[in-house]
Amino acid sequence: MSSLHHVLLLGGSGKIAQLLTPLLLQRSWNVTSIIRDPAQVGNLQKLGEGHAGKLSVLVRSLEEVTSDAHAKSLIDEVKPDYVVFSAGAGGKGPPERLRDGTEKIDRDAACHFIRASVATPSITKFVLISFVTSRLRKPEWWTEEIWQTEQNTTLKALKRYYEAKVAADQVLHEEGKKRKDFAAICLRPATLTPEPAGKVLLGKTPVAKGTSSRASVAELTALLLDAPNVKSCWLDMHDGDEDPAAAVKRCIDEGIDVAEGEPYY
């Protein structure tokens, strides 16, 4: 059994977060789940039933986290050693929600919590859920056709979301360099689906279009947090044909980091 950890789960009412919560609790880890809507507390608390770990639910608005100091105060209140950022608008919703929620949560709150986590010595891992095409430059393992297609479709359709996520991804990469004992992990799924967890394609994926089961995203997040030798990295993921635990081990052993090719890499 893994040693006891305490995970701060930001965006705890999201679909991936709700799938992730029991995976963490069954490891005998404690989870503090941050949600915005007090009406969801009861349903979230049910996720903690029957597990060895303890689930706490806090009602806080991430949109109101407007500084690194504010994020640090919440971290100091919870006292986690791992942080998962799975909050955000997901590039969907009315225009005003996209503008305000996406910029305030996907970009600003994410960056505040990243910097605050790096500034907290007791925190050793941070997982940010991003998406596979959140990058500034074409990676060498994609063709020019794939990159141009993504720029003309996904990135154009989700412009605000892309701009927010690519900014947070860069901050995670740069802040993660500041501490050798800190794993800054960016997990980057393709189009999310409600399918059950299954086998995966992880690392330098040769395609951008594809699907990623939310349950598989949750499973990979738990495995990455549980991996003792994981280091800072970006990992693209799709549904695929490799066992998730084997895929995580391979990526760690080979030192795979798909941030390669970005201007700040």
Side-chain angles (χ1 to χ4, degrees):
M1 181 180 293
S2 301
S3 59
L4 184 67
H5 291 290
H6 186 177
V7 182
L8 173 59
L9 182 50
L10 299 158
S13 61
K15 294 176 181 178
I16 291 173
Q18 291 193 52
L19 293 164
L20 174 62
T21 298
L23 298 179
L24 303 177
L25 295 171
Q26 70 188 25
R27 286 171 161 78
S28 297
W29 297 0
N30 294 333
V31 175
T32 297
S33 188
I34 303 296
I35 65 173
R36 182 182 60 177
D37 185 357
Q40 295 177 319
V41 171
N43 287 335
L44 265 291
Q45 287 176 333
K46 292 178 182 177
L47 297 176
E49 297 174 356
H51 296 292
K54 176 186 176 183
L55 174 63
S56 302
V57 181
L58 293 181
V59 178
R60 301 285 193 277
S61 173
L62 297 184
E63 290 187 37
E64 296 175 2
V65 176
T66 57
S67 68
D68 297 356
H70 191 168
K72 184 70 164 62
S73 69
L74 200 154
I75 285 172
D76 290 343
E77 175 185 351
V78 174
K79 296 180 174 60
D81 59 332
Y82 296 165
V83 178
V84 176
F85 195 97
S86 185
K92 300 176 182 178
E96 65 277 7
R97 178 66 185 157
L98 273 178
R99 181 183 64 251
D100 296 337
T102 301
E103 293 178 359
K104 290 180 179 179
I105 298 176
D106 292 274
R107 184 190 66 193
D108 297 346
C111 292
H112 293 318
F113 276 103
I114 291 165
R115 287 190 286 258
S117 296
V118 172
T120 305
S122 58
I123 295 177
T124 58
K125 293 179 184 178
F126 191 111
V127 177
L128 175 66
I129 307 299
S130 185
F131 74 107
V132 69
T133 326
S134 177
R135 52 188 313 126
L136 298 173
R137 290 183 181 169
K138 180 187 81 66
E140 65 175 14
W141 53 93
W142 285 1
T143 66
E144 186 64 34
E145 181 182 5
I146 289 173
W147 179 238
Q148 291 299 326
T149 298
E150 284 301 291
Q151 287 185 306
N152 293 328
T153 56
T154 304
L155 302 189
K156 186 173 290 186
L158 301 176
K159 184 174 184 295
R160 286 190 183 276
Y161 181 64
Y162 163 69
E163 291 172 347
K165 297 303 286 188
V166 80
D169 291 351
Q170 180 173 349
V171 169
L172 182 71
H173 179 84
E174 293 176 339
E175 289 292 310
K177 294 178 180 179
K178 295 180 179 180
R179 281 177 49 195
K180 292 182 178 180
D181 62 342
F182 187 93
I185 304 162
C186 186
L187 184 58
R188 306 156 59 79
T191 301
L192 296 169
T193 75
E195 297 303 312
K199 293 186 177 182
V200 299
L201 176 64
L202 186 68
K204 294 181 177 180
T205 63
V207 293
K209 296 294 185 187
T211 60
S212 298
S213 157
R214 291 186 182 90
S216 291
V217 177
E219 183 176 5
L220 286 172
T221 300
L223 288 168
L224 288 163
L225 289 174
D226 210 1
N229 299 321
V230 68
K231 299 185 184 302
S232 295
C233 61
W234 291 10
L235 295 172
D236 291 350
M237 72 148 296
H238 297 257
D239 299 322
D241 57 10
E242 188 174 13
D243 174 79
V248 167
K249 183 179 186 302
R250 174 182 54 78
C251 288
I252 292 173
D253 290 349
E254 296 177 7
I256 292 174
D257 184 1
V258 304
E260 182 181 336
E262 290 297 85
Y264 46 79
Y265 177 72

